[in-house]
Amino acid sequence: IYDSIIHDDIEREYILYVPDSYTGASQVPLILNFHGYTSNATEQMHYGDFRPIADTEGFLLVHPEGTLLNGKTHWNVGGWTSASTADDIGFTDALIDALASAYSIDLNRVYSTGMSNGGYFSFHLACHLSNRIAAIASVTGSMTPDTYDECNAQRPVPVMQIHGTADPVVPYGGDEWAKPIPDVLAYWVDFNNCDPNAQMTSIPDIEPGDGSTVELYVY
């Protein structure tokens, strides 16, 4: 379903996926799936494709569209997007309201995930919309120094981070515009009052030719 809402006098577009199992008889979770910098809702719907999972698990899935910054789609996360005037937190808040008025959504089970800039924005939502976002998952994202320094979560927010140690775009070790991933994790381990000693599991290397191995750390 391609639709839009007006927020801040701007038409904000999104793509909603409603699984066939949805009847409206009971409240269902909502997943927000945010695209990366220069990408768009359609690309993210295919690239980070949760539609088959929505079919089996029965949640609604929405792919919001960012606005343009210097001609490129983005989510406003401060830092390297600090020239942006987009109120993406307000837009997300309004989008949740709009969807909840049209569909039977369990507002205690609204989740955010995203790729790269969408991962940054998921952390931004955990910091600034924690009253509405139950948990987040960031794929190849981080926190800008702005998000990190100004984070104001009102409650513990479960987070999941998926990141390559050799990521050439968002460095695992950080940069002046990206907090190091270990610092991001340490922030949430502390804020969420987790045990700082992780349980580590090596994931079976089922694709030995892809040049990567995976370790899972659970706090």
Side-chain angles (χ1 to χ4, degrees):
I1 300 170
Y2 291 76
D3 209 342
S4 64
I5 62 171
I6 302 296
H7 179 259
D8 255 6
D9 295 327
I10 302 170
E11 184 178 12
R12 301 297 304 262
E13 299 178 339
Y14 61 89
I15 306 172
L16 177 67
Y17 182 77
V18 180
D20 289 340
S21 62
Y22 175 81
T23 63
S26 58
Q27 293 183 334
V28 299
L30 171 67
I31 308 285
L32 300 145
N33 191 357
F34 292 95
H35 63 73
Y37 184 58
T38 77
S39 185
N40 57 59
T42 301
E43 286 183 356
Q44 183 64 9
M45 180 171 64
H46 293 284
Y47 188 59
D49 193 353
F50 283 79
R51 290 172 295 178
I53 308 173
D55 288 337
T56 57
E57 299 299 324
F59 56 78
L60 297 192
L61 175 62
V62 65
H63 311 84
E65 180 99 26
T67 57
L68 296 180
L69 175 64
N70 299 323
K72 296 176 178 177
T73 46
H74 78 293
W75 301 104
N76 187 353
V77 292
W80 55 274
T81 66
S82 57
S84 173
T85 58
D87 177 15
D88 286 326
I89 295 170
F91 162 57
T92 303
D93 199 28
L95 177 59
I96 294 169
D97 283 341
L99 295 175
S101 68
Y103 296 91
S104 183
I105 291 172
D106 183 350
L107 291 174
N108 292 314
R109 300 181 71 192
V110 178
Y111 305 93
S112 178
T113 188
M115 166 74 184
S116 195
N117 187 194
Y120 274 88
F121 189 57
S122 293
F123 278 118
H124 206 61
L125 290 175
C127 288
H128 300 292
L129 203 62
S130 63
N131 60 318
R132 309 212 71 179
I133 302 296
I136 67 142
S138 163
V139 182
T140 77
S142 181
M143 295 168 77
T144 62
D146 292 15
T147 301
Y148 185 91
D149 293 340
E150 298 165 13
C151 191
N152 189 33
Q154 302 301 300
R155 44 165 276 274
V157 182
V159 305
M160 181 182 192
Q161 174 74 9
I162 301 174
H163 214 101
T165 53
D167 189 324
V169 180
V170 180
Y172 187 84
D175 208 321
E176 60 186 26
W177 47 270
K179 296 297 289 187
I181 301 306
D183 291 9
V184 171
L185 296 177
Y187 176 89
W188 290 102
V189 166
D190 178 64
F191 183 80
N192 289 347
N193 217 8
C194 298
D195 183 345
N197 301 301
Q199 295 175 296
M200 197 279 275
T201 307
S202 290
I203 304 298
D205 190 11
I206 59 173
E207 290 286 351
D210 69 0
S212 70
T213 55
V214 179
E215 294 175 343
L216 171 65
Y217 293 83
V218 178
Y219 300 88

